[in-house]
């Protein structure tokens, strides 16, 4: 970071002068989305009147900025990159960076050797911050980046005790609302197809499913849960297993829209009608949910807001040298269609 001349105005003074928070000043400086035009003008006026020189500009003038962010995917299974979730998130991050002048560099990190190489690459000043996707339980990379004091934001989290800055959605609440909807539709033998259970998001969706059943006074039967890897093929296999175990299943919550699409195929193959015999709910609300037959009831994740929030947090950490980790949990929404 560039040093300020003695007596130079601080970011806090600009915020006070413009009567906004320091985070708002940071977003204006970084041309981030989500700031009202009137607020942007007020902040810019305060900057001009006080003669404030942003740290990021000072770093750039000193040649210490890469003007690039690394998007690191830690998913060891290459098939996952074909799933809609990854492309939707990458698109939302790119949109959020449109007015910042920064590049988004995609990096795959799947082994200890690759973790170490990436850490050395990032510490060498080649990127200004790191965005992490698909981080599984026990992955040490976020800790390595934190120890190196590299601005970092995770999509999701490794556990409920995560301390590195992250943006997540209310996976528990989303799954709970989905199962409650099935219960209101009169379904009583409700199964779930989970995601990989070494992902915190998958654990939370399973917890929401179990909470909804318990709140309704129904027994939680562990044999009504089958694990998937979020792909359609794993959804087909899991649904077929569940039908074999429990022929009387009348409702199912799948941990992703892609998994739900596979479950629909398995139900058709077994001669089960949707929703007459079995009601099905997915999770994501990607365009796929409107192309299935029948169209899929699903839990919507606010993908655009996820991207904006991740970029906002990362730019604030880069600008302010944040002393506190920031944790953002966004709401989900049940979207009801013909599959229930």
């Amino acid at each position: 970071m560039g040093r300020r001349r003695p007596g130079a105005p601080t970011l806090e003074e600009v915020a006070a002068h413009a009567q906004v928070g320091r985070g708002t000043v940071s977003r204006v400086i970084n041309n981030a989305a989500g700031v009202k035009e009137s607020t942007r003008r007020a902040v810019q006026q305060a900057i001009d009147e006080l003669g404030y020189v942003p740290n990021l500009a000072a770093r750039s003038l000193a040649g210490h900025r890469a003007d690039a962010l690394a998007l690191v995917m830690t998913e060891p299974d290459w098939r996952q990159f074909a799933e809609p979730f990854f492309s939707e998130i990458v698109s939302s991050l790119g949109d959020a960076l449109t007015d910042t002048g920064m590049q988004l560099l995609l990096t795959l990190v799947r082994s200890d050797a690759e973790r170490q190489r990436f850490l050395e690459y990032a510490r060498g000043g080649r990127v200004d911050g790191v965005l992490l996707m698909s981080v599984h339980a026990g992955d040490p990379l976020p800790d390595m980046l934190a120890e190196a004091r590299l601005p970092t934001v995770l999509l999701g989290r490794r556990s409920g005790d995560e301390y590195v800055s992250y943006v997540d959605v209310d996976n528990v609440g989303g799954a709970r609302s989905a199962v409650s909807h099935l219960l209101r539709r009169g379904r009583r033998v409700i199964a779930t197809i989970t995601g990989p259970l070494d992902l915190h998001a998958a654990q939370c969706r399973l917890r929401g499913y179990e909470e909804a059943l318990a709140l309704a006074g129904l027994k939680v039967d562990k044999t009504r849960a089958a694990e998937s890897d979020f792909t359609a093929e794993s959804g087909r296999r899991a649904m077929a297993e569940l039908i074999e175990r429990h022929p009387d299943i009348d409702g199912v919550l799948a941990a992703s829209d892609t998994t739900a699409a596979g479950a629909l195929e398995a139900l058709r193959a077994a001669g089960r009608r949707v929703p007459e015999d079995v009601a099905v709910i997915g999770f994501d609300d990607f365009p796929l949910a409107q192309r299935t037959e029948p169209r899929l009831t699903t839990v919507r994740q606010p993908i655009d807001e996820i991207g904006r929030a991740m970029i906002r947090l990362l730019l604030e950490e880069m600008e302010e040298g944040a002393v506190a980790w920031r944790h953002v949990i966004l709401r989900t929404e049940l979207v009801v269609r013909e599959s229930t």
Side-chain angles (χ1 to χ4, degrees), residues 17-288:
H17 194 74
Q19 297 183 330
V20 298
R22 59 177 290 157
T24 300
V25 176
S26 177
R27 290 194 289 277
V28 171
I29 290 168
N30 290 295
N31 291 318
V35 181
K36 291 192 299 185
E37 186 56 37
S38 58
T39 302
R40 195 179 295 276
R41 286 197 301 269
V43 170
Q44 190 58 55
Q45 182 177 345
I47 289 171
D48 294 341
E49 290 177 358
L50 296 176
Y52 174 75
V53 178
N55 281 349
L56 284 180
R59 284 178 67 196
S60 184
L61 290 171
H64 295 158
R65 273 193 70 201
D67 284 331
L69 304 178
L71 172 59
V72 180
M73 294 187 177
T74 60
E75 178 57 58
D77 188 343
W78 285 84
R79 292 176 302 166
Q80 298 298 323
F81 301 121
E83 297 306 311
F85 182 76
F86 287 95
S87 59
E88 294 283 343
I89 287 293
V90 171
S91 177
S92 74
L93 291 169
D95 289 346
L97 281 173
T98 297
D99 297 325
T100 67
M102 305 194 79
Q103 298 293 318
L104 189 64
L105 308 179
L106 175 61
T107 305
L108 306 181
V109 175
R110 297 151 299 161
S111 68
D112 288 340
E114 289 176 346
R115 288 185 189 93
Q116 192 59 44
R117 280 200 298 271
F118 174 73
L119 182 65
E120 292 169 2
Y121 176 86
R123 291 177 69 176
R126 294 180 177 89
V127 294
D128 300 310
V130 180
L131 301 160
L132 287 176
M133 281 183 67
S134 192
V135 183
H136 290 250
D139 192 324
L141 184 56
D143 305 318
M144 295 164 69
L145 295 168
E147 289 168 9
R149 302 188 68 80
L150 287 163
T152 301
V153 175
L154 280 64
L155 172 55
R157 42 191 157 149
R158 292 169 292 177
S159 74
D161 297 324
E162 184 64 74
Y163 65 92
V164 176
S165 293
Y166 65 76
V167 175
D168 204 352
V169 301
D170 181 10
N171 289 295
V172 174
R176 192 168 53 230
S177 69
V179 175
S180 296
H181 173 71
L182 291 173
L183 291 166
R184 288 193 298 272
R185 288 287 197 267
R187 312 296 168 147
R188 286 298 178 268
V189 187
I190 300 171
T192 186
I193 302 173
T194 75
L197 290 174
D198 63 342
L199 284 177
H200 187 62
Q203 296 170 20
C204 288
R205 291 172 196 178
L206 176 59
R207 194 171 99 212
Y209 158 83
E210 293 177 343
E211 285 183 3
L213 293 177
L215 285 169
L218 298 176
K219 180 183 176 182
V220 175
D221 183 344
K222 299 293 185 181
T223 66
R224 291 182 189 165
E227 189 171 354
S228 79
D229 60 11
F230 289 134
T231 63
E233 178 55 36
S234 67
R236 282 191 289 271
R237 287 198 306 268
M239 191 71 250
E241 290 173 14
L242 288 168
I243 293 170
E244 186 174 348
R245 287 184 216 158
H246 298 282
D248 55 344
I249 283 174
D250 60 9
V252 61
L253 167 64
S256 76
D257 288 347
T258 310
T259 305
L264 290 174
E265 293 180 17
L267 288 166
R268 276 195 295 273
R272 306 297 176 88
R273 299 168 300 164
V274 177
E276 292 86 353
D277 301 323
V278 183
V280 178
I281 298 182
F283 208 110
D284 290 324
D285 195 31
F286 293 145
L288 170 66

Side-chain angles (χ1 to χ4, degrees), residues 306-318:
I306 289 172
R308 286 194 295 268
M310 290 181 71
I311 296 300
R312 182 173 68 248
L313 293 193
L314 190 59
L315 292 177
E316 288 176 359
E317 286 204 12
M318 289 161 50

